[in-house]
Amino acid sequence: MTYDKARAGGLGLLVIVALGINLRPILTSIGPLLAEIREATGLGFQGASLLTVLPVLCMGLLALALPWIGPRLGENRGMIAGLLAIAGACAWRLLLDSGLALIASAVLAGAGVAIIQALVPGVVKRWFPHKVPAAMGLYSASLMAGGGSAAVLAPVLVQHSGHWQLGLGAWVGLAVLGLLLWCLLRPREARAKEPARRGAHFFGSRRAWLLALYFGLINGGYTSMVAWLPMFYRQLGWSAAGSGRLIGLMTIFQVLAALSMPALIRRSSDRRPWLALCLTIQLAGFAGLLLAPTLLPLPWVAMIGYGLGACFALSLTLTLDHLADPGAAGGLAAFVQGIGFIITGIIPYLTGWLRDATGSFQASWTLLALSVLLMLGVTLRFAPTGYARAMRGWGGAQTATAEVAR
């Protein structure tokens, strides 16, 4: 390595946090303001779901294209382009007044998010090769903290300004800050020598497809919660600020999970027991939301948040565990996020359709609970001793198990 390890450790983590915190406000600021947005634009539930669905689909499709566009774009230009797209979308939202323009801004923001989060796992694997779970946990925590803060603050901004656009566009400042930190503070190694992105893709790997399906389904609850949880409780009589605080509570527990998981799993290379535990916690929260939403709403949302936060960090760590080579592991993570986010993006559309078709969210919560239950069974497939065999023929597989065991 050509850079100072202390610089890579301290400032590198700061850069990772600055990137992560920008990746969810464009999604989470929508839910608490959905009533105001629908009233101003005339969007129905399915139309409004596109504000969540389309950015997440962009995250998936662009991540899948990374093996082809990555070598041409480059890591540095890719990060800059992603942050500029997010900043541009937020600035646009300050001015728009139609549903179509709002949906278009969601696509632009989703493209920016897609580029950044497809590149981050490879960066983490390279900058922190022996601390991947801790670095991914911090990245996941910052991602969730940014989303939760936006959900809580968006209604406050609207209440004081009287303009719902401000609640959606104020996050342009975060994107500009992230851009400055990336340009000025990223480790010198990244400037001097950017690793070449592998042109190979993982469409022919059955394990890559399984990991992608797993990532998509166990994280599908997040996009549905962001899209519909505030509206669900507003229909039960809650205020915009109160329903937004539920996303804030969910985020607090997501952050706690993302930060605590690396410490809990550091002595074991087997992620399955922890994934099973966190899926069970998530399942209990969905069951509570389904059966008794007004009895104990805060514990239900807290359990969902903890389960989702842990599963996001653990599923990405599990993916990176499969290959030791940072370039190959980053490519695998991009593929998994690509397919996974397409699945994750479809889920809130399905839950929104179920809400329109049945007149309540009960069928939506049932679908989410069943998907979590299915993934509990899939978790058993991910034994560390099987990583090398499952990824045979894909770079770095032969040392993946040893890497995880360190």
Side-chain angles (χ1 to χ4, degrees):
M1 291 292 179
T2 61
Y3 58 88
D4 182 346
K5 288 185 179 180
R7 178 178 169 84
L11 297 184
L13 284 174
L14 180 60
V15 172
I16 294 298
V17 168
L19 294 173
I21 208 167
N22 273 286
L23 302 184
R24 291 299 178 267
I26 60 109
L27 295 176
T28 58
S29 58
I30 296 288
L33 305 179
L34 196 55
E36 290 79 2
I37 292 169
R38 291 183 65 227
E39 182 179 354
T41 63
L43 289 172
F45 279 103
Q46 283 185 277
S49 73
L50 294 177
L51 299 175
T52 301
V53 171
L54 290 179
V56 177
L57 289 178
C58 284
M59 296 175 201
L61 293 172
L62 282 180
L64 290 177
L66 195 66
W68 291 275
I69 65 174
R72 296 173 177 81
L73 187 62
E75 182 178 277
N76 181 42
R77 288 193 299 272
M79 292 293 191
I80 291 173
L83 288 164
L84 285 174
I86 294 171
C90 289
W92 189 9
R93 286 181 168 186
L94 292 171
L95 306 172
L96 56 79
D97 59 1
S98 75
L100 184 60
L102 185 57
I103 290 171
S105 75
V107 173
L108 177 61
V113 171
I115 295 170
I116 294 170
Q117 66 185 17
L119 292 171
V120 164
V123 171
V124 166
K125 185 82 169 180
R126 193 173 81 254
W127 288 1
F128 309 100
H130 305 305
K131 297 180 179 179
V132 170
M136 287 306 300
L138 186 61
Y139 163 68
S140 301
S142 65
L143 184 150
M144 296 160 192
S149 299
V152 172
L153 293 176
V156 177
L157 292 172
V158 174
Q159 183 179 357
H160 284 85
S161 69
H163 299 287
W164 58 268
Q165 293 93 334
L166 183 63
L168 303 182
W171 322 112
V172 62
L174 285 178
V176 172
L177 177 62
L179 181 63
L180 290 174
L181 291 178
W182 171 263
C183 291
L184 298 177
L185 298 184
R186 65 195 180 98
R188 286 189 298 271
E189 177 269 348
R191 283 195 186 105
K193 181 183 178 182
E194 292 188 356
R197 282 278 172 188
R198 292 172 179 260
H201 56 73
F202 288 84
F203 285 95
S205 168
R206 286 185 295 177
R207 176 52 61 94
W209 278 98
L210 182 62
L211 286 166
L213 175 69
Y214 189 75
F215 178 87
L217 288 177
I218 68 172
N219 290 300
Y222 175 76
T223 47
S224 291
M225 290 296 98
V226 166
W228 305 125
L229 183 67
M231 177 57 72
F232 174 56
Y233 276 97
R234 290 196 73 173
Q235 291 182 343
L236 294 176
W238 290 43
S239 67
S243 64
R245 282 194 289 270
L246 283 177
I247 297 294
L249 175 68
M250 184 178 81
T251 300
I252 290 171
F253 280 87
Q254 285 180 292
V255 171
L256 288 174
L259 292 177
S260 63
M261 273 300 118
L264 294 173
I265 68 175
R266 71 181 187 276
R267 297 185 183 277
S268 173
S269 62
D270 192 347
R271 314 301 184 198
R272 292 175 298 172
W274 299 106
L275 281 163
L277 173 63
C278 295
L279 282 166
T280 301
I281 293 172
Q282 196 180 138
L283 181 62
F286 283 126
L289 207 60
L290 176 64
L291 300 174
T294 59
L295 179 62
L296 295 170
L298 301 187
W300 305 146
V301 172
M303 283 191 284
I304 292 169
Y306 192 90
L308 287 169
C311 285
F312 182 86
L314 283 170
S315 59
L316 277 180
T317 301
L318 173 71
T319 298
L320 293 175
D321 286 347
H322 274 70
L323 293 169
D325 175 71
L332 177 61
F335 176 84
V336 166
Q337 289 185 93
I339 299 297
F341 276 119
I342 291 173
I343 296 169
T344 299
I346 291 171
I347 289 175
Y349 187 81
L350 290 176
T351 51
W353 175 81
L354 285 171
R355 163 61 182 79
D356 274 346
T358 64
S360 79
F361 282 104
Q362 299 305 93
S364 306
W365 308 149
T366 300
L367 176 66
L368 295 176
L370 289 174
S371 69
V372 172
L373 192 62
L374 176 63
M375 290 305 100
L376 269 170
V378 175
T379 300
L380 300 175
R381 297 284 302 275
F382 299 123
T385 53
Y387 293 166
R389 182 177 65 255
M391 298 305 299
R392 186 175 291 118
W394 305 94
Q398 66 277 10
T399 58
T401 304
E403 179 85 8
V404 172
R406 288 182 183 179

